Amino acid sequence: MDVESCICANVAWQQLPDEVRMMLGNSTKEYDKLIVEYSIRNQLRHKGNLVRHIKKDPETYYDQVIKYSASHLMLFPYHLSDIIIRELRITPFNYYVQIIIEMINAEKSYDSLPNFTAADAMRLLGIGRNQYIDLMNQNRSNRRLFRRSKSLREMLPGQPVPQGMEPWWSVSPGCILETDIKMLSAEEKATIDILLDTAPPITGAVPAGIIDYRVVQSLFTKGLVYFDVPVKDDDYIFVGPLDGFVMNRVLGDYFETLLYKIFVTIDGMTTVAEREFGIEYRFQIADMLHIDVQLAKNAMAVFCRLGFAKKRVTGMEGER
């Protein structure tokens, strides 16, 4: 057993095998340091993991997670939405806007963005390769002027692109302040009341199919609600055409790399295998890649969110 496996399995210092302790030089401080690094790098939840014993303040920890993720051009940590969006008030839209700003200011190539990060940024911001190059050129031109006509932030979209959503997705309330409520229409206020009053206490989400699509989209563009994509053990997921897939660099962070491996595996399946793709196949993927089943579910949720995969509801999806 290596050090990372011990961290992933929540093995405390007292329970570490002797050989692992020797690898760490019998230093608890070294183990603590590696726990923090691994947890931030892998976007682990504070609650229920070893890092909570070292980083006592969850807000400080999650702030480090989001800063690390952004600086390494990682996908927004959707599995932590209940914390990042609802408590820290950082939406995926704001997250990607900041990434694009940092990239342009550093004059980084668009190809620096990993594949799935680029796809998600395109989905929310409407900024692909051509738009990015235009923004880069505009920013360079502005730098030459004695007084800038527009700041870089002003050149970027002010709101996210309206998003498609499936009826089986969930809508959750974001970080909603009193000042936000005052700016809403009667319909939007009523929808917020539904989300706050009728959402289950554990998930805090309401099925998207029972809420007015137009109102939800309006609240989404204001950053007051967010979408969860729940993937259950008995769901069947199939991959559709790969339209809109951004192919930049292949190697990325742990999750980007995992997504790519699973994506390539699913994409290579025949129609029959796609129809058979469900819990049994997903567990096979998890076993094959030596990953937790929940991590595989998180990956499937991202595929559905990006529109690269769909959940089979009627059994007729994808039929020719």
Side-chain angles (χ1 to χ4, degrees), residues 32 35 40 50 59 81 98 142 206 218 294:
D32 288 350
I35 287 171
I40 290 174
L50 290 175
E59 186 172 336
S81 290
Q98 193 57 42
N142 272 351
V206 172
S218 177
Q294 186 56 52

Side-chain angles (χ1 to χ4, degrees), residues 204-216:
V206 172
I210 67 172
I211 310 177
D212 187 291
Y213 174 84
R214 178 180 52 84
V215 178
V216 169

